[in-house]
Amino acid sequence: MDDERDASGPGGLPADGHVHSEWSWDATLGSMEETCRRAVEIGLPAVAFTEHLDLTPFRAGFLVGTRPDLVHDGVLTAPPFDVEGFRAAVERCRGLFPGLRVLAGVEVGQPHLHRAALRAILSSGGFDRVIGSLHCLPDGDVAAEPWELYPRRRADDVVREYLAEIPRVVDGCDEFEVLGHVDYPLRSWPTELGPFEPRRFEDEFRQALRAVAAGDRALELNTRLPLDPLLLQWFREEGGRRVTFGSDAHEPAAVGAGLADAAATAWAHGLRPGRRPEAPWQVGAHQHAAG
Ligand SMILES: [Zn+2]
Ligand SMILES: [Zn+2]
């Protein structure tokens, strides 16, 4: 049975399960050590460094200004992920911040298209968290992010195409346990079209969320754009039972941002923390503390 603390709310912050550091190619302000320091300061129990594993070349768009060295003929190819360097940095931070649980992870883009490469990296061991994320859609002979597609296609079509791809992402790769930011195209939804209305895409969202639930993956509440509680409700109705939280911070100051609100949303939908702070929240899980 739920104890008094269960009934009152989540209490402290949950783990930040999606953070980038200098080991991600696009985190030009990243610092694992400073991120850990900040995490301790604000009372986070655990942080998962889920660095980018991006193997799909994509249209660079504005990123040509961020990493011109990675762009050729308008297409950005991310550099290889330095697994050994990353691992050593994680070990160092575990030593520096013994009170913080520091998890090693990856965020793999388009995991269904790069399964063999992902397996090869994971087989080296030591990864605590694998997030699978859809960042790009096919665009001619390369790929492109939603923000690059919106000016060239109907915005509704971009969202529909994105959501239609999610079941293929889940069914095409067993190696990730968390689906990252299912609402990714909403981050760059064209402002001139007015507020995004999820109900216009209810069928498409439900189909995507059903695939996540059926694939026994956790849904991430990514706080870069606070997840519309309606999406969490649909996830639950489609059989979803596990969620994680992630700030998607690319710089130390952003770690933990928005997690308190996201935890309150998850709590309101019947999700509860597990025994370890970094564990996904689950339906019917119980807090360790006795009532
Ligand atoms: Zn991402
Ligand atoms: Zn990310």
Side-chain angles (χ1 to χ4, degrees):
M1 303 300 289
D2 289 352
D3 61 26
E4 244 175 66
R5 208 168 125 208
D6 268 353
S8 65
L13 288 171
D16 193 334
H18 185 159
V19 176
H20 299 274
S21 76
E22 69 271 32
W23 300 96
S24 286
W25 62 269
D26 65 341
T28 50
L29 300 173
S31 163
M32 189 182 285
E33 183 178 335
E34 290 307 315
T35 299
C36 289
R37 190 162 288 123
R38 173 75 183 151
V40 170
E41 202 175 283
I42 64 175
L44 282 169
V47 169
F49 289 97
T50 52
E51 311 294 353
H52 283 299
L53 179 60
D54 284 326
L55 300 165
T56 310
F58 64 99
R59 298 197 192 282
F62 74 92
L63 286 170
V64 72
T66 311
R67 290 297 305 266
D69 54 315
L70 302 178
V71 180
H72 295 283
D73 295 332
V75 174
L76 190 148
T77 305
F81 174 40
D82 178 358
V83 180
E84 291 315 313
F86 169 69
R87 234 189 267 284
V90 168
E91 282 309 320
R92 186 171 162 273
C93 281
R94 284 174 176 160
L96 286 172
F97 304 96
L100 178 70
R101 295 172 79 95
V102 181
L103 276 68
V106 286
E107 178 187 15
V108 52
Q110 295 73 247
H112 57 316
L113 305 181
H114 305 290
R115 199 173 178 189
L118 175 61
R119 272 185 180 165
I121 282 182
L122 297 181
S123 68
S124 61
F127 286 96
D128 310 300
R129 172 63 50 85
V130 181
I131 298 175
S133 292
L134 183 62
H135 291 127
C136 301
L137 295 170
D139 184 44
D141 53 359
V142 284
E145 295 238 0
W147 45 261
E148 210 279 340
L149 293 170
Y150 280 133
R152 297 189 282 116
R153 294 194 197 167
R154 283 189 63 228
D156 283 15
D157 291 347
V158 174
V159 173
R160 291 206 165 90
E161 204 181 314
Y162 184 92
L163 294 173
E165 188 72 6
I166 296 293
R168 290 191 277 274
V169 173
V170 174
D171 296 343
C173 184
D174 284 336
E175 280 76 16
F176 68 91
E177 60 177 324
V178 177
L179 182 84
H181 49 56
V182 71
D183 54 353
Y184 191 64
L186 280 55
R187 283 189 193 177
S188 49
W189 178 253
T191 49
E192 65 270 23
L193 297 180
F196 181 83
E197 297 164 28
R199 285 187 194 280
R200 289 203 299 116
F201 302 88
E202 178 169 351
D203 289 348
E204 291 86 349
F205 270 115
R206 282 188 181 275
Q207 191 180 16
L209 294 166
R210 196 180 309 137
V212 177
D216 199 26
R217 315 301 162 91
L219 182 74
E220 177 187 74
L221 276 65
N222 190 299
T223 60
R224 280 278 284 274
L225 181 76
L227 188 87
D228 191 317
L230 194 53
L231 302 188
L232 183 55
Q233 182 192 319
W234 291 342
F235 179 59
R236 294 281 293 107
E237 288 169 1
E238 296 299 336
R241 301 183 58 81
R242 285 185 290 145
V243 300
T244 59
F245 306 92
S247 66
D248 213 347
H250 281 63
E251 56 184 293
V255 70
L259 291 200
D261 288 346
T265 299
W267 189 277
H269 286 81
L271 293 142
R272 297 292 180 266
R275 291 179 187 279
R276 289 171 296 115
E278 65 272 24
W281 283 27
Q282 301 199 32
V283 176
H286 288 280
Q287 282 197 324
H288 209 191

